[in-house]
Amino acid sequence: MSYPITITVLVDFGNSPTFPVVGTPFTLNNATYGKLDSGILGSGSSQIVDVSSQVGKIQISGGYNLLQDQFQVNQGTVRIYDPNGWWNPQNTSSPYYGLLVVNRKISISATYASVNYPQFAGYINAYQYSFPTTMSVGYVDLVVSDAFRLLNMANITTVTGAASGQTTGARIGQILDALNFPTALRNIDAGDQLVQNDPGTPRTALAAIKNVEWVEQGAFYIDASGYATFKSRSNVTKTNYAAPITNFSNDGSAIPYAGVTFAHDDKLIVNQSSFTNIGGTAQSYQDATSVAHYFPHSVSQTNLVGINDAQAATTAKVYVMTRKDTSIRIDAISLDLTTPNYSAGIVAALTLDYFSTVNINNVQNNGSTINKTLQVMGSNYTITPNTYDISFTTSEPIVDGFILNSVISGILDTSILAG
């Protein structure tokens, strides 16, 4: 490779498509893997294969969708060259014979300067085989996604232990319990908001969790290590422009970048909202000034599991107050990790995560400058043996908050007071 990063791709052909990411299954009384901090809960049968030397291309993308206002599945493809025909499911002499079935676990990590950085952990959804006549070998594209896909395929009706007055985090935990999602692979905040009793209606587990996420106005996603992660509203607010700040610039004063994508439009504006809890009445809020400037941009959510109308009214206001205005945006920043002498850029690319703070400075040819302090909300990376290109989608905080003495969020009449 022309860059000093080692990519490791592991496939676990264990006989159960359970939720844990690739790793040695939890084995009771085992000195190494019988500890929650050492082993990964699994099916009890693990057949882990390092396929790194066969990988020709990796493309993974995901994160927060600004238009839909929610985190989405991380997904993509891993291309594996197959000179020996091992990935042919009909090849009885293949060491993988009988194991090439869907929902097997896969993980991707990057090692730089002796530090390992998780990149993706999820499942193989499909095997797409190609045998081009112009090539001497065939290849298979592993279509992969994180646990969101399995959460979206699992239907639930009742949630055991659900009761009115629970926190949002407690309810999400119960939904995950219903699916036997391992507690060792969860990072769930308690939550700041309360929920009513579960409605007991048929829906997907992901839909049930997303309902709770709307009530909280927090964030639920699968992280790069495969952990189900839920951040409360207050936790999301605390991350707004929080240190450390990674600085990028095209004038030599900070980490250089390959490119930035600007936008100036009204597609992210919301100036009218209506939230309705199950059994409640619609609670609406609008910002008249924003409506006059930009025309109505409305969002409506119904059948939420919020505890009462007062809570729904507060959430409706918070939603509008954080989305009523617009300015020129930097939607994405791209980095080329093959850039010479790019240690700081490599570390930044492999370290930045959802809600990480970045400052992006763009000095244009005419001398004008655009400078934005933003949050990382998604990523899209393409890796080959000779290239490593990654772009991060960025945004203003999805839930703003008043931060005393902050020049960004500490000005009355500019920032909202959030609790």
Side-chain angles (χ1 to χ4, degrees), residues 18-42:
T18 51
F19 283 106
V21 295
V22 170
T24 303
F26 182 85
T27 306
L28 192 62
N29 296 325
N30 182 283
T32 302
Y33 300 110
K35 303 175 183 178
L36 288 179
D37 291 337
S38 300
I40 294 178
L41 297 177

Side-chain angles (χ1 to χ4, degrees), residues 124-136:
I124 301 171
N125 307 326
Y127 304 82
Q128 297 180 344
Y129 302 89
S130 297
F131 299 93
T133 57
T134 57
M135 295 177 58
S136 59

Side-chain angles (χ1 to χ4, degrees), residues 131-195:
F131 299 93
T133 57
T134 57
M135 295 177 58
S136 59
V137 299
Y139 60 86
V140 57
D141 284 337
L142 308 182
V143 181
V144 301
S145 67
D146 66 22
F148 260 32
R149 180 175 181 269
L150 297 187
L151 293 174
N152 197 46
M153 292 193 301
N155 291 317
I156 64 170
T157 301
T158 59
V159 177
T160 302
S164 181
Q166 290 178 322
T167 64
T168 50
R171 180 60 56 80
I172 287 178
Q174 290 174 333
I175 296 170
L176 294 175
D177 288 344
L179 306 177
N180 294 320
F181 196 106
T183 56
L185 288 176
R186 305 181 195 180
N187 187 9
I188 308 295
D189 285 350
D192 305 315
Q193 307 303 311
L194 303 180
V195 292

Side-chain angles (χ1 to χ4, degrees), residues 112-411:
Y112 175 70
S114 301
V115 179
N116 185 261
Y117 301 89
Q119 301 285 281
F120 172 82
Y123 305 88
I124 301 171
N125 307 326
Y127 304 82
Q128 297 180 344
Y129 302 89
S130 297
F131 299 93
T133 57
T134 57
M135 295 177 58
S136 59
V137 299
Y139 60 86
V140 57
D141 284 337
L142 308 182
V143 181
V144 301
S145 67
D146 66 22
F148 260 32
R149 180 175 181 269
L150 297 187
L151 293 174
N152 197 46
M153 292 193 301
N155 291 317
I156 64 170
T157 301
T158 59
V159 177
T160 302
S164 181
Q166 290 178 322
T167 64
T168 50
R171 180 60 56 80
I172 287 178
Q174 290 174 333
I175 296 170
L176 294 175
D177 288 344
L179 306 177
N180 294 320
F181 196 106
T183 56
L185 288 176
R186 305 181 195 180
N187 187 9
I188 308 295
D189 285 350
D192 305 315
Q193 307 303 311
L194 303 180
V195 292
Q196 59 178 277
N197 196 5
D198 184 78
T201 55
R203 72 275 197 210
T204 68
L206 185 60
I209 291 173
K210 287 294 183 180
N211 189 315
V212 178
E213 181 188 36
W214 271 98
V215 171
E216 177 68 28
Q217 285 295 286
F220 179 80
Y221 56 91
I222 307 298
D223 74 7
S225 297
Y227 281 69
T229 303
F230 175 62
K231 290 184 179 291
S232 66
R233 183 188 299 183
S234 61
N235 196 354
V236 169
T237 300
K238 289 176 183 177
T239 63
N240 294 355
Y241 308 115
I245 299 177
T246 303
N247 296 292
F248 296 95
S249 183
N250 65 338
D251 66 356
S253 62
I255 299 172
Y257 51 80
V260 291
T261 302
F262 294 102
H264 186 47
D265 52 44
D266 65 347
K267 68 182 180 181
L268 301 184
I269 287 178
V270 176
N271 49 35
Q272 295 178 334
S273 66
S274 177
F275 285 7
T276 308
N277 291 327
I278 298 171
T281 58
Q283 302 297 308
S284 302
Y285 184 82
Q286 77 166 7
D287 185 277
T289 302
S290 177
V291 171
H293 280 156
Y294 304 113
F295 202 70
H297 293 63
S298 303
V299 164
S300 177
Q301 287 290 320
T302 60
N303 295 317
L304 296 173
V305 293
I307 191 69
N308 55 39
D309 285 347
Q311 180 199 68
T314 299
T315 303
K317 182 176 182 179
V318 167
Y319 198 83
V320 168
M321 292 298 288
T322 55
R323 295 165 172 85
K324 64 185 178 65
D325 298 311
T326 189
S327 64
I328 190 168
R329 302 190 314 274
I330 296 179
D331 279 347
I333 179 172
S334 58
L335 310 177
D336 178 359
L337 302 197
T338 64
T339 302
N341 304 314
Y342 202 52
S343 179
I346 292 174
V347 172
L350 299 180
T351 304
L352 290 173
D353 197 2
Y354 301 149
F355 300 104
S356 294
T357 304
V358 294
N359 178 269
I360 303 173
N361 187 58
N362 179 261
V363 180
Q364 302 188 358
N365 292 334
N366 61 4
S368 63
T369 299
I370 298 175
N371 186 280
K372 288 282 188 176
T373 299
L374 304 164
Q375 289 183 324
V376 171
M377 298 305 294
S379 63
N380 183 325
Y381 60 86
T382 302
I383 307 171
T384 73
N386 298 308
T387 62
Y388 194 132
D389 298 313
I390 184 167
S391 65
F392 294 103
T393 55
T394 58
S395 79
E396 307 287 347
I398 58 175
V399 177
D400 204 357
F402 181 81
I403 305 173
L404 191 62
N405 297 325
S406 168
V407 296
I408 299 173
S409 302
I411 306 171

